[in-house]
Amino acid sequence: MKNRAVEKIRSVLRKVILPYRKKKEAMLGGIRLSITNRIAMNYMKLLIINGFLFFFVFSILYLNIEKGRYEDLAEEIVVNLENDGDAFLTVVNPYSKLGVNMILYEVDTGREVYNDVTYDVKNYRRIFRSIHYTKSSDTHRLILDDDMEFVQGGTLYRAQFFYNMTKDYNRMWSLLWNMLILYVIIVFFIIQEGKKNNIKLLEPIQSMSATVNRLTVSNLHSERLNVAGTKNELKDLAIVFNNMLDRLETSYDRQKQFVSDASHELRTPIAVIQGYINMLSRWGSKDQEILEESIEAIKNEAKAMQDLVEKLLFLSRHDKKTLKLEKKIFNMRPIVEEMVKETKLVTANRVIEAPYLEDVNVYGDKQALKQAIRVFIDNAVKYTQDGDTIRIYCRNIRGDCMIGVEDTGIGMTRKDMDNIFNRFYRSDHVRDRKIEGHGLGLSIAKLIIMAHTGRIKVRSQFTKGTSFIVTIPRIRYDS
């Protein structure tokens, strides 16, 4: 029953509060306030709340201090009564003019001995235990009572004191109103000064907004946010934004270079194919030799274009994070053995050696790894001459798979080694020798090896040869 009642109350609250919140959000959502105004409003809200607390505490302290003054007077009355009560009571209470009245009782008999209270607090509103308040009287609006007992002439008396704090109450309100007017003026100037400071504080945001609005593809390399001045959160934000722009610029330049290089690579085979087609359209159909030459050339160029397009698609899938590898555990030795046999069959004029072919388990995509290793072997064949040696091996180094492809070919310079994994990069002396290729193979091989958390080590000496050593870490099982 209790749970049902709680759920019912929650349901009612949801029906009442949620629509109110939605209406409030809809109303405030339609009002557009600048950040400076919002901060100023927060200032004002804090000042109002703190001001209210200050005035409340001030009024309590003020009345408490005045109450203490009246208590001192009451204690003075009690001392006089204890010393000479009869003489004291023969005259009118001299402290009544100061706002201290009393009713004096004998404790044992309950007989009233003295009473100079001229008002009745029974109809007053009682606050806490000893505070009496009414709006109907201007002279006795706020009354505080207090009790004290004393002995005089062997008789126990109880004195009930009434402190008339109406004058102090009115004086307090007069003082509060004057303070409130002064406080409002101070709050006004604080808000105005705060808005000016906020505008200065938020100038970097306006500068950021202006810079961002000016950003286009054409000026992406030159426009950056200003990070000069004192270090703060806005400067940190500007640095982060500039770093993001640097990454965007690098990505855009790569994409632009990629498109340019791809267009350049495709232009040559297309031009060759068009040239042979034009030659066939003129006289190739009648000349058997030209016909066969054209068909062979077109076939080769089409194959080269197909290879280039497949590589471009691979890179595109990788860049879009859509490249999927089907990994499983397999032995790498048979794969390397198969590629060694294929290389010996295709390149009979090279010396192919396989000094180490060891069993080693690898967790990865078999076809992708085979494609990557094939790139290194094809490059070794491409950049060697008749009689050069190509050494291929597969080793098990404490569970890690190490695959090496070494050759005694033309080698590379230091500049080449720094750029060989860049897309479409081809060395100048390679171009001079008219060695075919697109400059994408090593880029693809690196992506595949990195996807298997592997490493590639390159050693090369110009005119002496090159070695690529691929290391794929051993399989690690969670304990």
Side-chain angles (χ1 to χ4, degrees):
M1 292 294 292
K2 185 177 179 180
N3 292 335
R4 289 182 181 177
V6 172
E7 287 297 326
K8 190 172 182 180
I9 293 172
R10 287 179 178 174
S11 176
V12 172
L13 289 175
R14 288 193 204 101
K15 291 179 181 178
V16 174
I17 295 175
L18 288 179
Y20 169 75
R21 286 182 177 175
K22 290 180 180 178
K23 288 181 181 179
K24 181 180 177 182
E25 290 174 358
M27 182 181 69
L28 295 178
I31 302 175
R32 186 182 184 275
L33 294 175
S34 65
I35 295 179
T36 54
N37 287 331
R38 290 179 185 272
I39 296 175
M41 289 179 65
N42 286 330
Y43 283 160
M44 185 171 65
K45 182 170 71 175
L46 289 174
L47 288 170
I48 290 173
I49 294 173
N50 291 328
F52 175 80
L53 292 174
F54 169 76
F55 289 132
F56 178 76
V57 173
F58 173 81
S59 61
I60 297 297
L61 292 176
Y62 182 86
L63 292 176
N64 193 53
I65 292 172
E66 292 300 318
K67 179 187 176 185
R69 185 172 64 85
Y70 286 107
E71 288 175 348
D72 291 339
L73 293 176
E75 289 180 359
E76 187 175 339
I77 292 174
V78 170
V79 171
N80 290 331
L81 288 172
E82 287 177 336
N83 294 333
D84 191 6
D86 294 335
F88 182 81
L89 294 175
T90 57
V91 296
V92 178
N93 176 12
Y95 294 97
S96 61
K97 294 181 179 180
L98 299 177
V100 181
N101 300 99
M102 69 174 180
I103 302 174
L104 189 61
Y105 301 93
E106 286 185 5
V107 175
D108 294 335
T109 62
R111 182 174 65 90
E112 183 178 296
V113 177
Y114 182 84
N115 186 349
D116 63 354
V117 179
T118 59
Y119 44 84
D120 187 6
V121 297
K122 292 181 180 179
N123 297 324
Y124 285 23
R125 188 174 65 176
R126 196 178 185 89
I127 304 173
F128 298 112
R129 186 183 64 84
S130 60
I131 303 174
H132 309 274
Y133 178 80
T134 182
K135 290 183 179 180
S136 60
S137 174
D138 292 332
T139 57
H140 302 90
R141 178 165 292 184
L142 183 65
I143 305 298
L144 275 69
D145 65 37
D146 192 10
D147 291 338
M148 292 186 187
E149 292 183 350
F150 64 94
V151 177
Q152 203 278 331
T155 305
L156 180 62
Y157 293 92
R158 183 170 65 87
Q160 185 177 6
F161 292 97
F162 293 89
Y163 310 141
N164 185 1
M165 298 184 65
T166 303
K167 290 183 180 179
D168 304 291
Y169 175 76
N170 293 332
R171 191 183 303 117
M172 180 196 71
W173 274 109
S174 177
L175 183 61
L176 284 177
W177 279 114
N178 291 329
M179 291 175 62
L180 179 62
I181 294 172
L182 179 62
Y183 188 75
V184 169
I185 295 173
I186 293 174
V187 167
F188 175 77
F189 282 108
I190 288 176
I191 292 175
Q192 291 298 319
E193 197 63 29
K195 286 183 68 175
K196 293 179 182 178
N197 292 333
N198 292 338
I199 292 173
K200 292 180 181 179
L201 179 66
L202 298 175
E203 280 180 357
I205 293 181
Q206 296 176 350
S207 176
M208 290 181 190
S209 179
T211 303
V212 171
N213 285 329
R214 291 195 303 268
L215 279 175
T216 60
V217 173
S218 58
N219 64 358
L220 186 61
H221 63 284
S222 60
E223 289 285 352
R224 289 294 183 272
L225 300 182
N226 184 16
V227 295
T230 306
K231 185 176 182 181
N232 52 32
E233 290 81 359
L234 292 178
K235 183 176 180 181
D236 294 340
L237 177 62
I239 292 173
V240 171
F241 197 85
N242 285 342
N243 292 336
M244 182 191 70
L245 291 178
D246 291 339
R247 292 193 297 271
L248 286 175
E249 181 185 0
T250 302
S251 177
Y252 177 75
D253 289 342
R254 284 181 180 176
Q255 183 180 10
K256 187 167 64 173
Q257 186 65 37
F258 182 81
V259 173
S260 175
D261 293 338
S263 301
H264 177 77
E265 293 294 333
L266 287 170
R267 188 182 298 118
T268 301
I270 290 174
V272 172
I273 292 174
Q274 286 180 338
Y276 277 103
I277 289 175
N278 291 334
M279 187 168 61
L280 285 173
S281 63
R282 292 179 181 177
W283 54 74
S285 58
K286 297 178 181 178
D287 191 327
Q288 185 66 25
E289 184 178 349
I290 292 178
L291 180 62
E292 292 178 358
E293 179 186 348
S294 299
I295 292 173
E296 184 66 23
I298 292 173
K299 185 191 298 183
N300 292 335
E301 294 301 329
K303 183 178 180 182
M305 288 179 62
Q306 181 183 6
D307 179 61
L308 175 61
V309 170
E310 287 178 355
K311 290 179 179 178
L312 292 175
L313 288 174
F314 181 93
L315 294 172
S316 176
R317 285 194 296 269
H318 174 270
D319 293 341
K320 291 181 178 180
K321 308 299 182 183
T322 58
L323 180 63
K324 295 182 180 180
L325 299 177
E326 298 180 0
K327 294 183 178 181
K328 60 182 180 179
I329 300 175
F330 64 93
N331 190 350
M332 181 59 75
R333 176 179 177 177
I335 306 297
V336 178
E337 284 182 342
E338 180 183 350
M339 286 190 286
V340 170
K341 292 178 182 178
E342 292 175 356
T343 306
K344 288 180 178 180
L345 290 174
V346 174
T347 56
N349 51 359
R350 306 285 198 277
V351 178
I352 309 299
E353 296 180 355
Y356 306 103
L357 292 175
E358 301 174 356
D359 291 321
V360 54
N361 287 333
V362 172
Y363 177 70
D365 189 310
K366 183 186 297 186
Q367 295 301 322
L369 288 173
K370 185 176 181 180
Q371 179 183 359
I373 299 169
R374 173 56 63 189
V375 169
F376 299 123
I377 296 176
D378 288 345
N379 281 355
V381 174
K382 191 184 300 182
Y383 300 123
T384 54
Q385 300 176 353
D386 294 347
D388 284 340
T389 301
I390 298 175
R391 187 176 295 105
I392 306 169
Y393 57 85
C394 174
R395 302 200 64 182
N396 186 338
I397 307 298
R398 295 183 296 276
D400 293 344
C401 176
M402 179 183 289
I403 300 171
V405 179
E406 302 174 356
D407 65 68
T408 57
I410 62 176
M412 292 182 289
T413 62
R414 172 58 61 182
K415 177 185 175 183
D416 295 336
M417 292 180 64
D418 293 337
N419 295 280
I420 55 172
F421 292 108
N422 295 337
R423 297 175 184 181
F424 293 105
Y425 177 80
R426 302 198 73 205
S427 174
D428 294 334
H429 63 270
V430 169
R431 295 180 185 273
D432 294 340
R433 299 189 184 202
K434 297 181 180 180
I435 300 175
E436 296 181 355
H438 304 295
L440 293 175
L442 289 176
S443 301
I444 293 174
K446 181 180 179 181
L447 294 178
I448 294 173
I449 300 302
M450 296 299 290
H452 290 78
T453 65
R455 304 185 303 274
I456 304 175
K457 183 183 291 185
V458 184
R459 295 174 181 172
S460 184
Q461 187 177 357
F462 190 56
T463 70
K464 299 295 183 179
T466 303
S467 67
F468 288 90
I469 302 173
V470 176
T471 303
I472 301 173
R474 66 184 178 88
I475 306 168
R476 290 178 173 84
Y477 299 97
D478 294 334
S479 56

